[in-house]
Amino acid sequence: MTTAVRTAVALPGLVSVALLAGCTATAPSRVRVDMAEGGLPSCKTFEWLPTQQQPATLTEQRVKGAVLTELKKKGYSEAEKAECRVTYVLNVHERPKNKPSVGVGAGGGSGGIGGGIGVSLPIGKRNEQAGTFTIDVVDAAKNAQVWSGSIDATFEKAELNEDEVREVVTKVLEKYPDRASK
């Protein structure tokens, strides 16, 4: 068997292997919800439960505003001695923005067949912030968590901007019961 014929026979197999190696499956982020076994209490009013004893960060202030706005749209109201309290948790870590990639090429001409495989490795400090954003609802009378909704997301920085906050809060609270429609 000539070299050109062996290359023509082996090339489709190499292309398949390289394509499979270069593919990564990324599922879109979905909201995960967990609820207490007894179900949700019949909360009509909410208050914000601060995350720390220190002054509120910009992210916390933005999240508080967005959460309370979304809950009001759903038919709930804010009160000092509310039936439920709401807070959030944000766990963020840095990860490379550009992942290594594999490229495959094949071609022919002048009676020969050729192919090539290339690998791209990111160089530099182009990283993004990835993490999990969670909203928790606590029954004030029992002082127990009764609902939790979370989503995995990427952010520009560890300190979330207005648009990022609005997007994750809206997505998570889509899963929280709507009182306005009742």
Side-chain angles (χ1 to χ4, degrees):
M1 200 184 281
T2 67
T3 305
V5 173
R6 271 188 259 140
T7 304
V9 171
L11 190 58
L14 286 172
V15 169
S16 297
V17 170
L19 286 175
L20 288 174
C23 292
T24 57
T26 56
S29 291
R30 64 177 180 77
V31 176
R32 296 174 303 280
V33 173
D34 194 11
M35 205 172 1
E37 287 183 24
L40 287 172
S42 59
C43 296
K44 295 176 188 160
T45 58
F46 277 88
E47 68 180 311
W48 186 253
L49 182 62
T51 57
Q52 310 171 10
Q53 297 297 333
Q54 301 168 2
T57 64
L58 293 173
T59 296
E60 182 172 352
Q61 294 171 60
R62 291 172 182 144
V63 170
K64 176 183 177 183
V67 165
L68 294 175
T69 298
E70 285 298 313
L71 288 173
K72 286 176 186 174
K73 287 180 189 176
K74 290 182 161 285
Y76 299 95
S77 59
E78 188 177 359
E80 280 189 37
K81 295 288 182 183
E83 298 156 316
C84 286
R85 297 181 184 121
V86 64
T87 190
Y88 83 104
V89 177
L90 177 62
N91 293 318
V92 178
H93 60 277
E94 196 171 277
R95 73 173 181 197
K97 194 171 190 174
N98 297 328
K99 297 178 182 175
S101 61
V102 177
V104 177
S110 300
I113 297 176
I117 297 175
V119 177
S120 169
L121 298 173
I123 298 174
K125 286 198 148 203
R126 291 184 286 174
N127 294 330
E128 63 187 0
Q129 306 298 315
T132 303
F133 177 83
T134 305
I135 295 175
D136 294 320
V137 176
V138 176
D139 183 336
K142 295 179 183 177
N143 197 27
Q145 182 179 3
V146 292
W147 188 89
S148 181
S150 61
I151 189 169
D152 296 326
T154 56
F155 309 104
E156 290 179 22
K157 300 177 183 174
E159 189 76 38
L160 276 59
N161 65 40
E162 291 280 343
D163 292 334
E164 292 170 328
V165 166
R166 191 172 22 261
E167 183 178 343
V168 293
V169 166
T170 301
K171 282 184 181 180
V172 171
L173 288 179
E174 279 178 355
K175 301 291 184 174
Y176 196 78
D178 192 346
R179 289 187 52 82
S181 65
K182 291 182 181 181

